[in-house]
């Protein structure tokens, strides 16, 4: 019994003395001077960069524990990762260069932090505070799983049926809030002060004016592929009925009589011919719309262009995001008019994709096509789409290798994709992440 009591007492004391970590918590009040720790590690081509960051966090906390014997219950944390190439971009080579990953962490003993955003050391090391959705991370000495039951979920339509008066259980005239409550998290939203469009899956658009559901649109080519690739594959199925006839699935071969009935019931029906064998084709529905379809959305999103730190851009333009996407990993993606995809989670910019300009001719969501038509080609701190790859030397170091250039600078680390010596697109990870 005494052993049990001692064990419970020890457990209680250890729990009471455990340190919680807080990131971007303005409620924290410093009670001791800031503690700064700097470390670095070598990066090679096959290294798991996320794992390297976790290792540096673990070593930094170990160093803090070893040097500062006093255990604080609350630590406010600021951290910064940077990468540095082993040679200059002025002499690029197709051989891969080793790079250094530098890590700076600042720990401030604090009080009165918000316990709702407290993290254990394991969660902080895992890097979950940099993600909008958490997953399981397996390691030699750590396995972390966050409870995401309270996170928004993508909804599978239980009854994927539309009629002229009923759209997945919703009617024209429903409120914006009612649609969200019924259908859950949308894949894409496009909005201005008075108008809004919510896209579910990749093919279903709900149109709103002054928060009232005014029109529904389905099309197999609703969005461009570059955006489709970011979205969940859920909610693809659709069944159509005029209200009195048997339901029609998208893979149903339609007679001209059936097509005429649909056209009499819905505002617009589009069909296409599908080749099902060498000598046989079928006519199927590829698009349908009913009600008022919003054709134009006023654009209020400013291009990033590398004019400031990405996190500063996010804060400055927090309320002016015309086009927003939520991908399958629950990353929030802001798509600017300059072919920039900015990935955000919990107030941080984690990734930037610079996309090659693409045609809007086949985009059936007219307001989206108009948004993209107003756009310019991407630019990053003076480096532009279709510039010579050698221009990257103005920003940082790079290694050219066939159709890509591995790039590293003070704020970004990743790849530019090239053709005929010209820059086409890029996928960059933020070193401020």
């Amino acid at each position: 019994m005494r052993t049990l009591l001692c064990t419970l007492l020890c457990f209680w004391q250890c729990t009471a003395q455990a340190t919680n970590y807080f990131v971007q918590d303005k409620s924290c009040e410093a009670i001791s001077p800031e503690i700064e720790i700097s470390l670095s590690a070598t990066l090679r081509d096959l290294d798991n960069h996320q794992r390297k960051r976790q290792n540096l966090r673990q070593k930094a906390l170990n160093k803090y524990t070893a040097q500062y014997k006093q255990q604080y219950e609350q630590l406010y944390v600021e951290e910064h990762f940077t990468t540095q190439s082993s040679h200059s971009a002025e002499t690029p080579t197709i051989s891969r260069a080793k790079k250094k990953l530098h890590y700076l962490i600042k720990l401030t003993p604090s009080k009165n932090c918000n316990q709702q955003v407290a993290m254990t050391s394991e969660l902080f090391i895992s890097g979950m505070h940099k993600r909008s959705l958490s997953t399981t991370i397996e390691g030699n000495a750590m396995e972390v799983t966050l409870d995401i039951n309270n996170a928004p979920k993508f909804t599978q339509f239980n009854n994927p049926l539309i009629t002229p008066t009923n759209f997945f259980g919703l009617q024209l005239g429903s409120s914006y809030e009612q649609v969200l409550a019924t259908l859950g998290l949308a894949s894409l939203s496009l909005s201005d002060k008075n108008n809004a469009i919510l896209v579910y899956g990749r093919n279903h658009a709900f149109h709103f004016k002054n928060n009232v559901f005014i029109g529904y649109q389905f099309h197999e080519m609703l969005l461009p592929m570059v955006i489709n690739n970011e979205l969940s594959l859920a909610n693809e199925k659709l069944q159509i009925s005029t209200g009195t006839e048997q339901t029609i699935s998208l893979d149903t071969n339609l007679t001209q009589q059936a097509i005429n009935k649909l056209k009499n019931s819905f505002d617009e029906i589009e069909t296409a011919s599908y080749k099902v064998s060498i000598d046989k084709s079928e006519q199927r529905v590829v698009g349908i719309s009913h009600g008022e379809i919003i054709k134009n959305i006023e654009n209020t999103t400013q291009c990033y262009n590398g004019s400031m730190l990405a996190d500063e851009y996010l804060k400055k333009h927090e309320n002016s995001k015309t086009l927003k996407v939520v991908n399958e990993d629950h990353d929030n993606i802001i798509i600017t008019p300059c072919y920039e995809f900015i990935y955000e989670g919990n107030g941080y910019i984690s990734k930037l994709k610079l996309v090659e300009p693409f045609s809007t001719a086949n985009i059936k969501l007219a307001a989206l096509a108009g948004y993209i038509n107003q756009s310019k080609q991407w630019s990053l701190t003076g480096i532009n789409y279709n510039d010579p790859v050698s221009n990257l030397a103005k920003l940082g170091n790079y290694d050219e290798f066939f159709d890509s250039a591995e790039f590293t600078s003070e704020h970004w680390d990743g790849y530019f994709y090239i053709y005929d010596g010209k820059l086409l697109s890029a996928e960059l990870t933020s070193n401020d992440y």
Side-chain angles (χ1 to χ4, degrees):
M1 179 62 72
R2 177 174 294 181
T3 302
L4 177 61
L5 289 174
C6 290
T7 301
L8 291 173
L9 180 61
C10 177
F11 175 79
W12 179 84
Q13 289 177 333
C14 292
T15 302
Q17 294 176 357
T19 301
N20 284 325
Y21 297 81
F22 300 84
V23 177
Q24 286 196 336
D25 180 7
K26 296 180 181 179
S27 64
C28 288
E29 300 175 21
I31 59 175
S32 185
E34 176 184 275
I35 299 166
E36 189 173 295
I37 298 173
S38 180
L39 298 169
S40 63
T42 300
L43 285 175
R44 296 178 176 83
D45 288 342
L46 298 179
D47 282 340
N48 183 320
H49 289 202
Q50 176 68 7
R51 176 60 62 191
K52 284 284 187 178
R53 293 181 183 221
Q54 292 168 2
N55 290 342
L56 287 175
R57 288 191 185 102
Q58 177 72 73
K59 289 179 181 179
L61 295 191
N62 289 345
K63 186 174 182 179
Y64 160 76
T65 302
Q67 290 185 356
Y68 301 90
K69 304 300 181 183
Q70 183 177 1
Q71 291 293 309
Y72 294 96
E73 291 187 14
Q74 298 181 347
L75 285 176
Y76 178 77
V77 185
E78 294 180 76
E79 61 175 353
H80 184 71
F81 286 97
T82 57
T83 55
Q84 181 180 17
S85 179
S86 60
H87 69 272
S88 170
E90 296 177 359
T91 55
T93 173
I94 62 172
S95 63
R96 297 297 192 186
K98 293 179 182 179
K99 294 184 291 184
K100 283 285 188 180
L101 177 63
H102 298 285
Y103 180 52
L104 175 66
I105 184 172
K106 299 177 181 179
L107 303 165
T108 304
S110 303
K111 65 179 182 178
N112 297 332
C113 294
N114 180 6
Q115 288 298 136
Q116 298 298 318
V117 294
M119 291 178 291
T120 63
S121 59
E122 289 81 10
L123 290 182
F124 173 73
I125 291 167
S126 74
M128 294 304 182
H129 55 294
K130 303 294 191 180
R131 298 282 299 170
S132 56
L133 176 71
S134 301
T135 54
T136 300
I137 292 180
E138 297 177 356
N140 296 330
M142 177 180 64
E143 182 172 331
V144 178
T145 303
L146 283 188
D147 181 7
I148 59 171
N149 291 330
N150 294 325
K153 302 291 194 302
F154 290 110
T155 302
Q156 293 282 354
F157 297 152
N158 294 325
N159 183 20
L161 174 67
I162 67 164
T163 74
T165 58
N166 193 294
F167 306 86
F168 306 111
L170 293 158
Q171 296 179 339
L172 296 178
S174 299
S175 69
Y176 185 91
E177 292 74 18
Q178 285 174 316
V179 173
L180 285 175
T182 302
L183 300 182
L185 184 64
S187 302
L188 178 149
S189 63
L190 185 61
S191 62
D192 58 23
K193 188 177 296 184
N194 300 312
N195 304 310
I197 302 171
L198 293 177
V199 174
Y200 285 88
R202 297 179 172 186
N203 307 101
H204 309 282
F206 288 74
H207 296 249
F208 300 85
K209 185 178 289 291
N210 296 321
N211 290 326
V212 176
F213 175 34
I214 60 170
Y216 167 82
Q217 184 181 11
F218 163 85
H219 205 284
E220 291 190 349
M221 298 293 293
L222 189 71
L223 307 173
M225 188 54 65
V226 67
I227 294 180
N228 267 342
N229 290 339
E230 300 287 352
L231 302 182
S232 167
L233 283 169
N235 310 327
E236 293 294 330
K237 295 181 179 179
L238 179 65
Q239 292 181 333
I240 309 165
S241 173
T242 60
T244 58
E245 303 292 331
Q246 186 176 1
T247 60
I248 299 171
S249 298
L250 290 181
D251 57 358
T252 300
N253 180 32
L254 298 176
T255 64
Q256 188 58 50
Q257 183 181 12
I259 293 173
N260 291 338
K261 285 184 178 179
L262 289 174
K263 287 183 175 180
N264 289 333
S265 300
F266 294 93
D267 291 339
E268 185 175 336
I269 292 288
E270 184 177 341
T271 63
S273 181
Y274 282 77
K275 197 79 172 178
V276 294
S277 67
I278 295 177
D279 56 356
K280 183 180 179 183
S281 296
E282 293 183 353
Q283 203 74 8
R284 300 178 184 175
V285 172
V286 294
I288 185 169
S289 66
H290 198 64
E292 184 180 349
I293 303 303
I294 298 201
K295 301 293 179 66
N296 295 293
I297 293 285
E298 182 183 351
N299 175 29
T300 59
T301 300
Q302 301 295 314
C303 297
Y304 169 54
N305 291 334
S307 57
M308 63 186 78
L309 287 177
D311 291 342
E312 292 176 5
Y313 167 87
L314 184 68
K315 293 172 185 176
K316 184 175 180 179
H317 301 289
E318 187 173 2
N319 297 318
S320 59
K321 305 168 189 174
T322 303
L323 178 57
K324 295 179 283 187
V325 163
V326 181
N327 68 9
E328 212 162 10
D329 294 327
H330 284 62
D331 291 311
N332 294 303
I333 307 172
I334 304 162
I335 302 179
T336 79
C338 295
Y339 294 93
E340 302 164 318
F341 287 44
I342 302 173
Y343 292 68
E344 177 266 332
N346 292 342
Y348 289 87
I349 301 297
S350 60
K351 186 168 71 171
L352 172 68
K353 284 179 68 174
L354 305 175
V355 179
E356 186 176 6
F358 52 87
S359 171
T360 61
N362 293 323
I363 299 175
K364 297 302 181 179
L365 193 62
L368 175 60
Y371 177 87
I372 294 172
N373 277 334
Q374 299 169 16
S375 63
K376 304 175 183 178
Q377 298 169 348
W378 62 257
S379 175
L380 183 66
T381 320
I383 304 300
N384 304 303
Y385 167 74
N386 223 24
D387 272 359
V389 66
S390 58
N391 281 14
L392 289 178
K394 299 176 183 178
L395 294 186
N397 300 321
Y398 73 96
D399 293 316
E400 188 174 350
F401 187 75
F402 297 121
D403 61 350
S404 65
E406 187 176 9
F407 175 78
T408 184
S409 68
E410 180 183 0
H411 299 296
W412 298 103
D413 188 18
Y415 290 89
F416 280 82
Y417 298 97
I418 58 182
Y419 178 75
D420 197 25
K422 301 293 182 66
L423 301 172
L424 298 183
S425 60
E427 293 189 28
L428 305 172
T429 300
S430 173
N431 286 327
D432 304 310
Y433 173 72

